Amino acid sequence: MAGIVGYGAHIPRHRIKVEEIAKVWGADAPSYKKGLMLREKSVPPPDMDTITLSVEAARRALIRAQNVDPKDIGAVYIGSESHPYAVKPSGTTVAEAIGATPDIHCADFEFACKAGSEAMFVALSHVDAGHMKYALGIAADTSQGAPSDALEFSAAAGAAAFIMGKENLIAECLDQFSYMNDVPDFWRREHEFYPQHAGRFTGEEAYFATTRGASNALLKKSGLKPSDFKYAIFHQPNGKFPQRVSRELGFTQEQIDPGWLAPRLGNTYSGASPIGLSATLDVSEPGDLIFMCSYGSGAGSDAFIWKVTDRINEVRDLTVRTHKLIDENLIYVDYGTYAKYRHKIKKNN
Amino acid sequence: MAQFSSRIWREFPQRYRLEASKFKKSGKTYYPPRDIDPTNGDTENEIVRLPDTGKVVTYTVIRVAPSQWGDQSPYALAVVEPTDGTRVMVQMTDCDVEEVKIGMEVRLEFRRIQTEAHSGVLSYGHKAVPKWF
């Protein structure tokens, strides 16, 4: 089957700590940190959005893809719930910036937090079907959480990009399974600025049931068991959910560690499990099997099995590693700066 | 308003992909690209893409900014020399103005440059960030 020939991530340097948000709203920081298993989250500065994050991640994917001519990329698909325009595609700007226009197909995907894996799935499918030589699937978000809402502690920003192809793979997709059902757990109506969620209903009946549904089905379909995998990545709306679901499915903490980013990155929405995959590929070795399962409210999961090839040793350090972007050279902002950056302050035009 | 859309559109190659013109006779590269080499009138050139890393040659600090950049002041505007020796003028971002130094290493990153009022088009291009990897 087709697979990944190049991957890359981009994450803002800015962070805000749970304590900084909690003190503004009179919330108890230790209980939020424990409850969400989250210390801080990334904050996009005002000159960064889904398009700019996507361009930088895509450029890194092109570096790791080595000899891929952008003109040979047949599609750019971007999954996000924070496309900068309501009407005007993100994909054309990204395709233009990487030099892949005009012989290309672009589409912007939306499916709450699952839009990114969806873009990856469609890119992979086109390549696998022989419609095009390469296709680029990007997962990017600069998510908003309503002030004082639990989501404000987690809604973060980041992107990961994957160039799919059939030759010179870094990781082959061995198998895939998707699982969808209508669950009204999280939504944003048109013209609303902040999303809303159904509180505790977002857990068992939504995230856990859907993630288990896709994961168990893919394990059964592939005939593999959790212990066959070196690593596993799950959608991470907080630190706790992926940890619990991975345990329930039979994966260990060691397996999820490299891609378990929410505790220090927050929930990058569409970017969450794809950035986790990027971080995991960075530390993987040839032959490793990687299990990945996204989740998007509404609700659905895309699950993938990736098998890492020898090429990983050649490409992983051609550009910056994902963990370096998460852990180094951070700029901490206070709530006022964060509120300004995220356009939470009313101003006259 | 429509002026803004068409103007930035004409400049997408240089703004989005850092395309510059390299002239055959003098070997000089110009950004933004020119049709004629001002040193010798040569018109034979090829489009090249500038390297995305370089150094700050000089800079100035903007404290009273045009309205669309007002929220970002103070900020530095820098003349950056990418590793091929071309020069570009860009806004510095992800750093306080006190951190900007002549000779500092920077990376050119894709960013939102300005927005046309509250509901107009978004304009993208490159800004310089401190190079740390």
Side-chain angles (χ1 to χ4, degrees):
Chain A
M1 202 176 166
I4 297 163
V5 298
Y7 71 95
H10 193 48
I11 293 160
R13 284 174 62 191
H14 303 73
R15 298 286 184 280
I16 187 165
K17 288 182 180 292
V18 165
E19 287 85 349
E20 183 63 26
I21 300 172
K23 85 176 180 202
V24 173
W25 300 113
D28 183 43
S31 69
Y32 267 96
K33 286 172 86 170
K34 190 163 170 261
L36 297 172
M37 212 176 262
L38 193 88
R39 297 195 298 273
E40 57 197 54
K41 66 166 190 173
S42 65
V43 177
D47 56 3
M48 213 182 239
D49 61 23
T50 285
I51 288 176
T52 69
L53 285 163
S54 297
V55 169
E56 290 297 324
R59 284 176 176 171
R60 286 175 192 149
L62 274 165
I63 292 171
R64 286 204 180 93
Q66 293 174 302
N67 300 316
V68 169
D69 181 347
K71 294 282 180 205
D72 287 335
I73 295 176
V76 171
Y77 298 130
I78 304 175
S80 178
E81 60 114 75
S82 47
H83 292 289
Y85 287 96
V87 177
K88 189 188 177 301
S90 302
T92 49
T93 305
V94 175
E96 197 79 55
I98 62 167
T101 49
D103 300 338
I104 193 159
H105 185 246
C106 293
D108 292 357
F109 288 77
E110 273 194 24
F111 191 140
C113 295
K114 193 184 79 67
S117 64
E118 201 165 66
M120 292 168 67
F121 169 74
V122 177
L124 189 70
S125 304
H126 274 305
V127 170
D128 206 43
H131 296 154
M132 49 191 72
K133 194 171 178 190
Y134 301 109
L136 176 56
I138 303 176
D141 252 319
T142 54
S143 333
Q144 282 282 16
S148 85
D149 187 86
L151 282 183
E152 194 184 24
F153 292 90
S154 60
F162 299 88
I163 298 169
M164 305 300 183
K166 272 188 173 171
E167 287 167 11
N168 290 322
L169 300 180
I170 295 170
E172 184 187 359
C173 183
L174 295 188
D175 215 340
Q176 195 278 333
F177 195 86
S178 291
Y179 181 100
M180 313 279 141
N181 53 160
D182 188 351
V183 187
D185 59 330
F186 170 97
W187 62 91
R188 179 166 62 82
R189 294 273 300 277
E190 189 144 47
H191 307 305
E192 290 298 308
F193 192 63
Y194 299 114
Q196 296 184 49
H197 58 86
R200 295 184 73 84
F201 181 66
T202 60
E204 183 49 41
E205 293 81 1
Y207 175 89
F208 290 102
T210 308
T211 304
R212 278 197 307 263
S215 300
N216 282 326
L218 182 57
L219 289 170
K220 192 175 170 196
K221 184 183 171 209
S222 64
L224 293 166
K225 49 190 189 303
S227 59
D228 293 328
F229 294 88
K230 183 73 185 286
Y231 300 113
I233 304 123
F234 294 93
H235 176 57
Q236 30 206 299
N238 49 54
K240 207 167 203 170
F241 278 24
Q243 199 180 47
R244 193 184 122 190
V245 85
S246 60
R247 264 189 219 141
E248 286 174 2
L249 288 163
F251 291 93
T252 64
Q253 183 67 36
E254 290 69 35
Q255 284 170 300
I256 67 163
D257 261 338
W260 187 53
L261 311 173
R264 55 199 200 281
L265 179 61
N267 176 11
T268 50
Y269 283 52
S270 298
S273 52
I275 297 172
L277 176 62
S278 170
T280 304
L281 285 170
D282 284 345
V283 298
S284 62
E285 295 295 332
D288 286 351
L289 285 183
I290 299 173
F291 189 88
M292 171 188 173
C293 184
S294 68
Y295 171 74
S297 293
S301 284
D302 296 320
F304 303 84
I305 293 172
W306 305 101
K307 185 176 186 183
V308 181
T309 74
D310 294 344
R311 236 190 107 222
I312 190 68
N313 290 331
E314 205 181 313
V315 306
R316 69 158 70 82
D317 286 318
L318 292 179
T319 182
V320 64
R321 288 195 190 196
T322 309
H323 276 278
K324 202 173 166 78
L325 294 170
I326 294 170
D327 295 329
E328 294 181 25
N329 243 323
L330 304 178
I331 302 168
Y332 285 93
V333 296
D334 58 16
Y335 193 88
T337 306
Y338 158 78
K340 175 182 159 184
Y341 280 8
R342 302 306 287 135
H343 308 289
K344 289 171 189 261
I345 301 174
K346 273 189 185 166
K347 283 187 73 197
N348 284 331
N349 277 324
Chain B
M1 287 290 182
Q3 289 291 319
F4 194 82
S5 284
S6 55
R7 205 195 99 199
I8 59 170
W9 176 78
R10 286 177 220 291
E11 294 172 353
F12 281 169
Q14 72 222 38
R15 286 173 180 242
Y16 284 11
R17 298 190 293 271
L18 292 170
E19 286 187 3
S21 52
K22 187 178 169 80
F23 284 86
K24 202 171 179 185
K25 279 185 195 151
S26 67
K28 278 182 183 269
T29 304
Y30 294 99
Y31 181 89
R34 289 171 173 270
D35 291 329
I36 300 165
D37 186 339
T39 62
N40 57 14
D42 186 17
T43 55
E44 262 190 283
N45 68 80
E46 57 165 343
I47 294 296
V48 295
R49 281 170 77 167
L50 300 182
D52 66 358
T53 55
K55 280 181 181 165
V56 171
V57 176
T58 188
Y59 69 96
T60 186
V61 174
I62 307 293
R63 294 181 192 277
V64 183
S67 59
Q68 60 269 53
W69 289 283
D71 289 350
Q72 296 171 38
S73 63
Y75 57 85
L77 277 184
V79 173
V80 167
E81 192 174 277
T83 49
D84 71 341
T86 315
R87 289 187 174 185
V88 300
M89 187 156 83
V90 286
Q91 187 177 338
M92 299 284 302
T93 191
D94 279 7
C95 66
D96 292 332
V97 291
E98 292 78 21
E99 291 173 48
V100 182
K101 297 278 180 297
I102 288 173
M104 80 185 274
E105 289 195 287
V106 293
R107 178 185 302 280
L108 296 171
E109 218 176 83
F110 199 79
R111 296 287 177 121
R112 194 187 279 191
I113 304 295
Q114 60 174 316
T115 62
E116 190 183 31
H118 174 66
S119 55
V121 296
L122 307 171
S123 157
Y124 295 93
H126 287 79
K127 291 188 183 180
V129 299
K131 183 174 180 280
W132 63 273
F133 62 80

